[in-house]
């Protein structure tokens, strides 16, 4: 009996320090301790200031890195969304008789370009075209509000922060600048130049923007992390689908139809740029000698469509089925 008691006490003496050593010293994935005057102060469980995140030692440290190629491609994708939507609705509501569509397209590009420049300049370091950022490590970095710990299952430690600084807020800031510049520039332009449109149709492209900007903001706020990992595939799928729809609607069945109008070539090259953008985003150009040759696949979908269009023409299929072939 005494031997069993001594054995139990010895086991507890060994397991006790190990358990203390393995127990977490700071609850939650994103809680940490603050550095004040060069020394770590305060209890663990505090939210890190903006532009900082907790390191492995659970100490809040300043993010001094810079976005990598994939991060810049993601920001480029989010910046392209309002521009593409602007162009779509301008083309949709301008009509064929309006001479102001081209000028509105240029104005929309100018608005988005100026917004991007201003956004970069006001982001730390202020006044420079560079960004200091925290590196994205996992999907949960985008949704820190879902990982606030409750050590005693009663009280919650609120450690919500922008662990992917500034990839989350810089997009929202960019959308705000786009909206402000649009409201300052576009109404005056449309009022003076959109003479081919009725009074009720002149501002429809602006009204459409007032709808899609809140949608884009909500999309970034809720699905920013998912878009970060999925945007290369979204680009490829959407560019393939829209190219096929456009070529089908334009009844392009051979190269002669393709080069008949300059607008068709512009649309084709725009889709090719999107294809290349998606391929580069997926490969990230980690191995240049293997990834760059993949860009040769960019014209593939268009060439495949033209080569097979005559075999899938609805009138030919109906005639052959009527003849019993």
């Amino acid at each position: 009996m005494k031997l069993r008691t001594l054995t139990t006490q010895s086991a507890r003496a060994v397991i006790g320090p190990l358990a203390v050593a393995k127990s977490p010293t700071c609850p939650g994935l994103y809680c940490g301790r603050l550095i004040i005057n060069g020394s770590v102060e305060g209890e663990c469980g505090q939210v890190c200031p903006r532009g900082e995140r907790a390191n492995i030692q659970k100490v809040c440290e300043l993010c001094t890195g810079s976005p990598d190629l994939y991060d810049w491609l993601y920001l480029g994708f989010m910046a392209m969304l309002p521009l593409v939507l602007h162009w779509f609705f301008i083309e949709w509501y301008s009509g064929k008789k309006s001479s102001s569509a081209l000028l509105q397209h240029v104005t929309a590009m100018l608005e988005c370009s100026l917004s991007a420049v201003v956004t970069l300049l006001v982001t730390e370091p202020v006044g420079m075209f560079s960004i200091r950022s925290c590196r994205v490590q996992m999907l949960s970095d985008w949704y820190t509000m879902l990982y606030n710990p409750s050590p005693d299952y009663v009280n919650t430690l609120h450690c919500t922060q922008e662990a992917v600084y500034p990839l989350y807020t810089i997009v929202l800031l960019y959308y705000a600048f786009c909206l402000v510049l649009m409201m300052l520039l576009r109404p005056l332009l449309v009022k003076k130049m959109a003479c081919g449109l009725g009074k009720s149709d002149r501002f429809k492209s602006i009204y459409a923007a007032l709808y899609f900007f809140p949608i884009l903001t909500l999309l970034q706020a809720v699905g920013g992390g998912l878009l970060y990992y999925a945007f290369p595939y979204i680009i490829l799928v959407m560019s393939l689908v829209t190219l096929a729809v456009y070529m089908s609607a334009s009844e392009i069945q051979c190269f002669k139809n393709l080069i008949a109008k300059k607008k068709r070539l512009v649309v084709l090259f725009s889709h090719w740029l999107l294809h290349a953008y998606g391929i580069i985003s997926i490969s990230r150009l980690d191995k240049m000698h293997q990834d760059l040759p993949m860009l040769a696949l960019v014209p593939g979908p268009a060439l495949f469509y033209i080569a097979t269009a005559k075999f899938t023409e609805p009138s030919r299929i109906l005639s052959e089925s009527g003849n019993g072939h």
Side-chain angles (χ1 to χ4, degrees):
M1 187 68 178
K2 291 182 179 181
L3 181 60
R4 182 179 298 176
T5 303
L6 291 174
T7 304
T8 304
Q9 292 177 352
S10 301
R12 288 178 179 176
V14 174
I15 295 174
L18 291 176
V20 173
K22 292 182 179 181
S23 62
T25 58
C26 188
L29 291 175
Y30 303 100
C31 299
R33 295 184 177 88
L34 302 180
I35 298 179
I36 302 176
N37 296 327
S39 60
V40 180
E41 298 183 6
E43 296 181 358
C44 193
Q46 303 184 47
V47 57
C48 294
R50 188 169 185 265
E52 300 182 11
R53 68 173 296 172
N55 57 17
I56 300 177
Q57 290 76 27
K58 294 297 183 179
V59 176
C60 297
E61 63 178 1
L62 187 68
C63 297
T64 57
S66 59
D68 56 16
L69 176 62
Y70 188 83
D71 295 336
W72 284 114
L73 291 173
Y74 165 74
L75 293 178
F77 168 73
M78 299 305 293
M80 284 191 297
L81 288 180
L83 179 59
V84 172
L85 290 174
H86 276 314
W87 284 348
F88 173 79
F89 286 109
I90 289 172
E91 194 70 25
W92 183 269
Y93 291 117
S94 292
K96 296 182 180 180
K97 297 181 180 180
S98 176
S99 60
S100 67
L102 178 60
L103 186 58
Q104 290 187 63
H105 287 316
V106 175
T107 306
M109 178 180 288
L110 180 63
E111 294 167 4
C112 294
S113 300
L114 288 177
S115 300
V117 170
V118 174
T119 302
L120 290 176
L121 291 177
V122 300
T123 305
E124 295 184 4
V126 179
M128 301 180 64
F129 288 101
S130 59
I131 298 176
R132 65 174 184 87
S133 66
C134 305
R135 187 170 297 278
V136 180
Q137 300 176 2
M138 48 188 171
L139 180 61
S140 61
D141 291 345
W142 292 85
Y143 305 102
T144 56
M145 74 290 292
L146 303 178
Y147 293 88
N148 291 324
S150 300
D152 57 358
Y153 300 99
V154 177
N155 300 311
T156 301
L157 299 178
H158 296 281
C159 298
T160 301
Q161 60 180 286
E162 189 179 4
V164 294
Y165 174 88
L167 300 182
Y168 190 88
T169 55
I170 194 174
V171 176
L172 302 177
L173 187 62
Y174 166 74
Y175 289 162
F177 282 128
C178 285
L179 183 60
V180 171
L181 288 178
M182 183 197 69
M183 296 303 298
L184 290 177
L185 300 178
R186 195 82 64 81
L188 296 176
L189 174 70
V190 172
K191 186 176 181 180
K192 291 181 177 297
M193 302 300 297
C195 300
L197 299 176
K199 292 184 178 181
S200 60
D201 297 331
R202 291 183 180 183
F203 300 98
K204 283 188 175 181
S205 63
I206 300 177
Y207 297 152
L210 296 179
Y211 280 100
F212 70 67
F213 267 118
I215 295 175
L216 291 177
T217 302
L218 181 63
L219 185 66
Q220 166 67 8
V222 177
L226 300 176
L227 289 175
Y228 178 80
Y229 290 100
F231 82 90
Y233 309 98
I234 294 175
I235 290 177
L236 285 180
V237 173
M238 293 302 297
S239 60
L240 289 174
V241 172
T242 54
L243 179 62
V245 171
Y246 176 79
M247 296 182 74
S248 176
S250 302
E251 297 182 353
I252 299 175
Q253 298 183 355
C254 60
F255 288 102
K256 184 178 180 180
N257 299 136
L258 183 61
I259 63 177
K261 298 181 179 179
K262 294 181 179 180
K263 184 178 179 180
R264 294 179 179 179
L265 293 177
V266 172
V267 173
L268 178 65
F269 286 127
S270 300
H271 280 85
W272 282 1
L273 288 176
L274 287 177
H275 295 341
Y277 196 95
I279 292 174
I280 293 174
S281 301
I282 292 176
S283 63
R284 306 191 185 189
L285 297 181
D286 294 330
K287 298 179 180 179
M288 298 286 289
H289 64 283
Q290 295 181 0
D291 298 334
L292 286 180
M294 294 179 62
L295 296 179
L297 300 173
V298 168
L303 298 177
F304 178 80
Y305 180 90
I306 294 176
T308 59
K310 58 182 179 180
F311 301 109
T312 58
E313 185 179 358
S315 59
R316 178 176 178 177
I317 296 175
L318 291 176
S319 63
E320 289 182 354
S321 62
N323 294 331
H325 295 290

